[in-house]
Amino acid sequence: MQFQVPQYYEVKERIVGPLTLQQFFYIAAACGLSFLMFFIFQFWLWFMASIILLGAASALALIEINGQSLTKILFSALFYYWRPRVYFWKREIEKEEIILPEEAKQIEEIKKELSFQQKIKSLGQKILTSRLPLPGEKSAMRNVQERYQIFRKSTGEKQAAKRVDYR
């Protein structure tokens, strides 16, 4: 015996012309609301509201993103922002390190070298960014004049900045 197996089970049945029943209801509801608004509003207001309403209804009925209808995507986004978020994580496993005495000496030497290098870097940074002059430069720093000057950015906006002349 042979049986026919449906191959396109994801395709929705077209009931009203090329539209599914849900798509037809979206567009029919928008047309019905537009018809009622015709008798309530002035013509120009009715026309603007109808364009917006029919555009939204046709977007909800016809747009699909990655095989998902726009209504499903909008509801998913709404529920994502509305519901509280729950995060799950795994506990980290503690790692045990076994250090041999020879390796411990090497590690201590490396740490000492790195700390010395860090001290040199921080001292250099302090020298470069310090406002106080170095001991040998006191005479050169006496002539420093600090003024504020207004200049224009490329956008035309004015901004005040400190101007330092080392002359």
Side-chain angles (χ1 to χ4, degrees):
M1 257 186 205
Q2 290 185 351
F3 296 98
Q4 284 187 341
V5 178
Q7 295 179 358
Y8 302 107
Y9 62 91
E10 290 183 6
V11 176
K12 296 180 182 177
E13 292 184 25
R14 308 291 178 183
I15 295 177
V16 182
L19 303 175
T20 64
L21 190 61
Q22 185 180 16
Q23 292 172 336
F24 174 74
F25 281 141
Y26 279 128
I27 294 175
C31 290
L33 282 173
S34 175
F35 181 73
L36 291 176
M37 287 190 305
F38 179 75
F39 295 109
I40 297 171
F41 299 126
Q42 292 180 1
F43 179 76
W44 66 272
L45 186 60
W46 165 81
F47 185 74
M48 297 299 286
S50 293
I51 288 175
I52 293 170
L53 185 65
L54 290 173
S58 61
L60 289 174
L62 302 175
I63 291 179
E64 285 189 356
I65 300 171
N66 292 333
Q68 303 287 327
S69 67
L70 187 61
T71 55
K72 186 173 183 179
I73 291 172
L74 291 176
F75 276 117
S76 297
L78 177 72
F79 289 138
Y80 174 77
Y81 288 114
W82 190 264
R83 293 180 181 162
R85 284 141 186 92
V86 179
Y87 298 104
F88 295 100
W89 64 90
K90 293 182 180 179
R91 188 181 72 157
E92 292 183 13
I93 300 172
E94 296 180 13
K95 297 180 182 178
E96 294 182 22
E97 293 185 21
I98 300 174
I99 299 176
L100 300 174
E102 297 169 0
E103 292 178 353
K105 290 178 184 177
Q106 291 176 352
I107 290 172
E108 289 298 322
E109 290 175 7
I110 291 172
K111 286 182 180 178
K112 286 180 184 177
E113 288 178 17
L114 288 176
S115 67
F116 182 70
Q117 290 175 356
Q118 289 296 331
K119 287 179 184 176
I120 291 176
K121 283 183 183 178
S122 65
L123 180 63
Q125 189 68 24
K126 285 180 184 177
I127 290 172
L128 288 175
T129 59
S130 174
R131 294 192 78 193
L132 300 174
L134 296 174
E137 295 181 344
K138 282 188 179 179
S139 61
M141 293 297 287
R142 286 184 187 158
N143 297 333
V144 173
Q145 297 176 355
E146 293 183 359
R147 288 185 275 168
Y148 286 92
Q149 182 177 3
I150 296 176
F151 68 96
R152 289 185 186 257
K153 291 184 173 183
S154 60
T155 59
E157 178 182 345
K158 291 183 180 180
Q159 184 175 359
K162 184 188 279 189
R163 178 179 175 171
V164 180
D165 292 328
Y166 293 101
R167 297 181 210 156

